[in-house]
Amino acid sequence: MTPAQTILLVATGLGALGLWLLLPRGDQWGRRLGVIPALISLGLFASRLPRLESMAAETVFWFLAGVTVISATCAITFRSPVYCAIWFAMTLLGTAGLFLFQGAQFLGVATIVVYAGAILVTFLFVLMLAQPQGHAFYDRVSWEALISASVGAVMIGILTMVIGDAFSRQEGAEGVPAKAGVVDRVAGEDGPQRPDEILSPRHMDHLGAQLFSRHLIAIEIAGTLLLAALVGAVAIAIQSKSMSRSTGGSAPWTS
Amino acid sequence: MDELTLLQNYLVVGAILFSLGLVGVLTRRNMIVMFLAVEMMLQGVSISLVAWSRFHNDWGGQILVIFTLTVAACQAAIALVLVLMLFHRSGRLDIAAWQHLREASHSAFVDQELPEAEVEEPHWPELTPAGVTPESPVEDLVHRTHV
């Protein structure tokens, strides 16, 4: 076992322990303690990643990635669903930042507008409708916290290892044409030069042109899907309303 | 080789987000939080797609994310209405209230019996008795119209 694999193994174990401690398990014991192993595990995973060349880019990336991952952990571990939704909004902001960092300007803004602005507010509306008193007993217990936390940590470990292996193999085989991405990038030198489209200042022009020429049918289908979902949601809501009126409110086991 | 490094970092962040969402779906019992976790898994995949899109200098990844966003919006609308309907029927957002759901010919698979909802004893204010005790018939004292 190489030292790299040992580090990943330790990180996986600590991650499982931290997640298990953080998840709501019915009692409060050691919940705050779980922050320490979770953070150490995150640091170990981060230590496995290669460094970026520019210092500023590195700082921005680690800040955004840290915000995203830490608030995602908070979103699944907090007991009150309202806090979960708010931490998820934080995750979305971090994701939007990551999108912007990769030059996906439209997606960064669309994530904030569509997800944080529309979907999340709908979540909060439903929460307010359904659970106005806040805490409920089923928010304080979770299914099989230990097994699920282990599964999640092992999955993170395996994916990190596989991605790292694949990239180190690519870097080892420098110059071999197996490097699909780099070949794609360099291929323009003998063929027609392909400009760096993603990072060009006319981002929206290119994206819109692609979207409404090559993917026109998909756009139409997406529009139809949105309409169908709208009609379906309204139909289900009306049906449930008439049903709850005819049965006199709610089911017998309602508290 | 900065592009390659950036791609690797993004893929790892996407993998972590996906796995955290998976843990959320598996553990949480509140239907709305489960749905939030599903959205988180979608975000993890979106991050990887955007990173690949930048690496290959191709719009395909970003356009796929746009369509994912559309489908996620539809899914959110339908799922939230369904969650509301389930809530109207069972009175709670607990997914465990539906573990008895089955075909009529099958026996129920009950993973875990529902713990009884804790009903807190209401705290009534205590009044200091004052004045003389009014005389009243025994029937009125024993019979209470409401508790």
Side-chain angles (χ1 to χ4, degrees):
Chain A
M1 191 181 281
T2 60
Q5 282 169 335
T6 319
I7 290 179
L8 274 184
L9 204 66
V10 172
T12 307
L14 282 176
L17 179 70
L19 261 184
W20 174 65
L21 285 174
L22 281 172
L23 281 170
R25 286 161 292 128
D27 55 349
Q28 269 293 71
W29 182 81
R31 278 197 72 206
R32 283 160 202 275
L33 218 62
V35 175
I36 301 167
L39 279 182
I40 293 176
S41 142
L42 209 60
L44 286 180
F45 277 123
S47 74
R48 296 297 310 136
L49 292 180
R51 298 282 164 270
L52 295 176
E53 273 159 20
S54 133
M55 186 68 196
E58 175 136 350
T59 316
V60 172
F61 171 76
W62 285 115
F63 175 71
L64 290 174
V67 165
T68 310
V69 170
I70 289 174
S71 50
T73 316
C74 291
I76 62 166
T77 52
F78 267 57
R79 287 175 302 172
S80 165
V82 178
Y83 282 134
C84 292
I86 289 169
W87 277 112
F88 183 62
M90 204 63 207
T91 313
L92 289 175
L93 288 185
T95 319
L98 285 175
F99 285 170
L100 285 177
F101 192 59
Q102 280 284 40
Q105 303 156 16
F106 176 73
L107 276 176
V109 177
T111 305
I112 294 179
V113 171
V114 175
Y115 261 108
I119 297 183
L120 210 74
V121 171
T122 326
F123 272 116
L124 285 176
F125 271 137
V126 172
L127 267 178
M128 302 291 168
L129 268 177
Q131 206 178 331
Q133 77 278 16
H135 282 283
F137 76 94
Y138 46 83
D139 283 328
R140 297 178 201 177
V141 287
S142 46
W143 304 112
E144 308 291 355
L146 183 57
I147 299 176
S148 311
S150 313
V151 166
V154 166
M155 202 159 154
I156 295 176
I158 288 177
L159 284 172
T160 311
M161 195 179 76
V162 168
I163 293 169
D165 276 1
F167 279 86
S168 64
R169 206 175 307 133
Q170 273 202 344
E171 266 171 13
E174 195 83 47
V176 177
K179 305 171 79 175
V182 182
V183 166
D184 194 23
R185 182 173 296 279
V186 179
E189 285 176 3
D190 36 28
Q193 180 66 38
R194 207 164 144 208
D196 205 3
E197 283 186 352
I198 301 279
L199 292 182
S200 82
R202 304 182 62 197
H203 177 85
M204 279 310 295
D205 277 10
H206 292 294
L207 187 64
Q210 279 278 325
L211 209 54
F212 287 100
S213 61
R214 200 173 152 196
H215 301 275
L216 186 60
I217 299 177
I219 284 279
E220 298 290 340
I221 294 174
T224 319
L225 181 69
L226 277 172
L227 181 66
L230 181 69
V231 174
V234 171
I236 296 173
I238 289 174
Q239 193 190 359
S240 75
K241 189 175 271 180
S242 67
M243 191 163 12
S244 68
R245 201 177 295 140
S246 65
T247 55
S250 46
W253 61 85
T254 309
S255 54
Chain B
M1 219 18 63
D2 213 27
E3 303 282 334
L4 210 59
T5 311
L6 205 59
L7 174 65
Q8 183 179 355
N9 290 359
Y10 265 68
L11 288 184
V12 169
V13 171
I16 290 177
L17 214 57
F18 184 85
S19 311
L20 284 177
L22 183 75
V23 173
V25 176
L26 287 176
T27 53
R28 299 307 298 262
R29 289 176 54 174
N30 191 319
M31 283 189 278
I32 292 182
V33 180
M34 284 173 77
F35 194 65
L36 277 182
V38 172
E39 300 281 336
M40 198 185 288
M41 291 169 83
L42 275 180
Q43 286 295 315
V45 177
S46 300
I47 287 181
S48 317
L49 281 174
V50 167
W52 281 115
S53 164
R54 162 84 185 275
F55 182 69
H56 284 299
N57 195 20
D58 188 279
W59 291 103
Q62 294 197 16
I63 284 171
L64 189 51
V65 175
I66 291 177
F67 287 120
T68 315
L69 215 66
T70 317
V71 175
C74 298
Q75 170 203 1
I78 300 279
L80 286 177
V81 167
L82 285 176
V83 164
L84 259 188
M85 199 169 110
L86 293 178
F87 172 75
H88 279 309
R89 288 203 179 183
S90 74
R92 47 174 73 156
L93 284 174
D94 191 1
I95 194 76
W98 298 97
Q99 58 186 349
H100 295 273
L101 209 63
R102 65 200 159 95
E103 290 273 332
S105 56
H106 286 64
S107 57
F109 174 78
V110 177
D111 190 47
Q112 195 176 325
E113 277 303 329
L114 275 185
E116 282 301 311
E118 301 151 21
V119 182
E120 284 178 18
E121 200 63 32
H123 184 70
W124 301 114
E126 287 180 15
L127 298 178
T128 357
V132 290
T133 315
E135 287 190 6
S136 50
V138 182
E139 269 82 354
D140 276 9
L141 280 179
V142 175
H143 176 256
R144 287 188 293 180
T145 50
H146 60 276
V147 180

